[in-house]
Each structure stands twice: as structure tokens, then as C-alpha cells.
Amino acid sequence: MGEVPPLSDAAGGPLRVERFDDRVVATLNRPEKRNAIDQATIDALHLLCAELEAIPRILILTGAGGVFASGADIGELRERRADDARRGINANAFVRVHELPMPVIAALDGYALGGGAELAYAADIRIATPRLRIGNPETGLGIIAAAGASWRLKEIVGEARAIELLLTGRAIGADEARDLGLVTELHPVDELLPAAHAIADRIAANDRAATIATKRVFRAPRADHPAVDLEEQAELFESPEKFRRMTEFLERRQKR
């Protein structure tokens, strides 16, 4: 088990972090800025990812103040130049979130726009409240959605709908997002975080190694299948947890 890097989780920081044995809840915490994603938020996300790479746990991402994230911080974004774009400041942080070993659940309320939407796209599972407004208005600001939307959105909703959303820049509501499969469930505001925890409970009840392997093979390129699946399965077939769980299953069935 690796050393956990320091991470500020003070209430006044840009990312409020609550740690549990099998999961972490990270709340984007700039409500006065509608949780706009600034450099400090990105730095905090990198620190959190380093922790979850060293000690894998489920991650629940949400936002404070009835908003997930209204986008990147436009004040900072306006001052960035070509070299900043090539550094992929937000894109690389969101790739790291996307590639965490254990599942990432985004619990979305209110606005999830621009960079906020792209952070949501980086999650494995997205649920929302009926107040959700999600989209990528970047072209209206003279830039493109370069932190994940241009490649992740079409994987989630299909090419035809993704390009329409990216070119028009329109935000969609919760019902349309659910119809497109962009989010899988809608919950009242006060039930959103409990619903995210319920999903995490289901995941945590399964074998951790099998969960990590499932996420890894799901993300593998098509050309790597079925070889990548078979290699992961070969390791799991030898695991003590596989024998324990299958033995318990057979014993329960015999008692019926």
C-alpha cells in the first residue's frame, strides 16, 4: 500500500473530501463561483487521484450549493494561451479521474456545463436530479470542448447526437439526458447522494479485484479483446476470493 499524499479537505478548499473504508466522496466546493473549475480544483483532483491510485476505492463526485460545476473558471481560461492549451490542464486531470482503478460515480445537480460536463463524462456512472442542465457551450466562447467531450460524449450517446450537441452548444435537461443514456437515474435533490451511496454499496459488495478487472477490460481497445478479458480471467480464476465466493454460492443453493 503506497503512501497517501497530503490532501487539503478543509471546508473552505475547492474540493471537500470525505473518506470511508470503501469509498471517497469528493464535493466540488466553490459555491460562490457555481463550482467553476479553476487551477486549485485541478490541483486538488490530481492529489485525490494520486491517493485513489495508491489505495483504490470507489469515488463519488458531486457539487456544493445545488450545482455540480458551471464550467471552467472563465477568468483563468481567458488568460490562457497556446502553450497552456497544449498542456491539457483540465483534460489530463479528467483522464486521470477516468482511469482510476475503482468506479467513479458522478452525482449531478443543477448545472454541469463545459468543463463540469466533461468531468461528469469522465465518470463511469452518472445520476442526476431533475434540475440538471448539462452541455458544452464552448464554441460560443471561441474555443472547443477539449477536455473530453469531443471523444467521450460520442462513446456515451452516439456520434449523431454528440456532434449536434457540441456544434449547437445547447444544454439539455434531465429527462433528455436520461433518454440519451447520458445519465442512468433521476432522483429528488435530497435523495441524490443516498442514491449514489446505494450504487456504491452494490459495487462494494462485489469482489474488489473482479471490479477493478471489469473496469480495466471495459476500457480496453476493441482490438485487445478477447485476449485482455482472458488474461484478467486467468488471474481471477486462481484467486482465493473466487473460491470463497463460489463455495458460499454452492452451499447456499444446497440449503434451498
Side-chain angles (χ1 to χ4, degrees):
M1 187 175 290
E3 181 179 351
V4 177
L7 177 66
S8 173
D9 55 3
L15 195 67
R16 188 171 69 243
V17 180
E18 301 171 88
R19 297 171 176 83
F20 304 90
D21 288 342
D22 59 4
R23 73 199 64 175
V24 167
V25 179
T27 304
L28 298 169
N29 190 38
R30 300 182 73 213
E32 74 286 354
K33 297 288 187 179
R34 293 185 174 180
N35 301 329
I37 298 171
D38 63 352
Q39 184 65 59
T41 306
I42 293 297
D43 293 344
L45 280 171
H46 276 297
L47 285 174
L48 178 58
C49 285
E51 175 181 337
L52 294 176
E53 289 158 357
I55 308 173
R57 281 161 289 171
I58 299 162
L59 172 60
I60 297 173
L61 283 171
T62 192
V67 175
F68 181 68
S70 59
D73 188 298
I74 301 300
E76 286 189 0
L77 200 58
R78 184 183 60 180
E79 304 307 314
R80 290 179 181 169
R81 307 303 292 268
D83 286 345
D84 297 308
R86 293 186 180 100
R87 286 168 55 206
I89 295 169
N90 288 8
N92 289 326
F94 299 168
V95 165
R96 203 168 178 186
V97 169
H98 183 72
E99 293 180 350
L100 286 171
M102 287 289 282
V104 179
I105 302 165
L108 310 174
D109 185 24
Y111 292 116
L113 300 174
E118 291 178 298
L119 177 55
Y121 303 156
D124 299 294
I125 298 168
R126 288 164 296 278
I127 62 174
T129 72
R131 304 191 303 196
L132 176 67
R133 296 289 295 173
I134 187 167
N136 292 94
E138 283 88 345
T139 53
L141 295 170
I143 59 173
I144 65 170
S150 64
W151 70 91
R152 285 202 186 97
L153 188 57
K154 62 185 176 183
E155 294 174 352
I156 300 168
V157 304
E159 288 195 10
R161 187 50 59 92
I163 193 63
E164 181 261 318
L165 292 173
L166 292 173
L167 292 178
T168 63
R170 72 183 181 91
I172 62 175
D175 289 335
E176 186 173 358
R178 182 179 57 184
D179 291 344
L180 291 176
L182 188 51
V183 300
T184 55
E185 300 175 4
L186 298 180
H187 297 277
V189 173
D190 60 353
E191 296 176 17
L192 180 64
L193 202 53
H197 279 290
I199 295 170
D201 289 341
R202 288 290 302 270
I203 294 169
N206 296 328
D207 176 38
R208 187 165 170 269
T211 297
I212 291 172
T214 297
K215 180 169 176 176
R216 189 156 46 226
V217 300
F218 187 82
R219 301 296 185 199
R222 177 64 183 85
D224 291 349
H225 297 282
V228 65
D229 307 73
L230 303 182
E231 192 56 42
E232 293 286 352
Q233 192 77 301
E235 290 191 25
L236 292 170
F237 269 19
E238 299 294 332
S239 72
E241 186 66 7
K242 170 244 186 177
F243 286 99
R244 185 189 72 80
R245 286 174 176 262
M246 289 192 177
T247 299
E248 287 185 356
F249 174 84
L250 292 170
E251 289 174 350
R252 287 195 304 270
R253 191 170 68 175
Q254 287 172 356
K255 291 177 182 178
R256 291 175 184 170

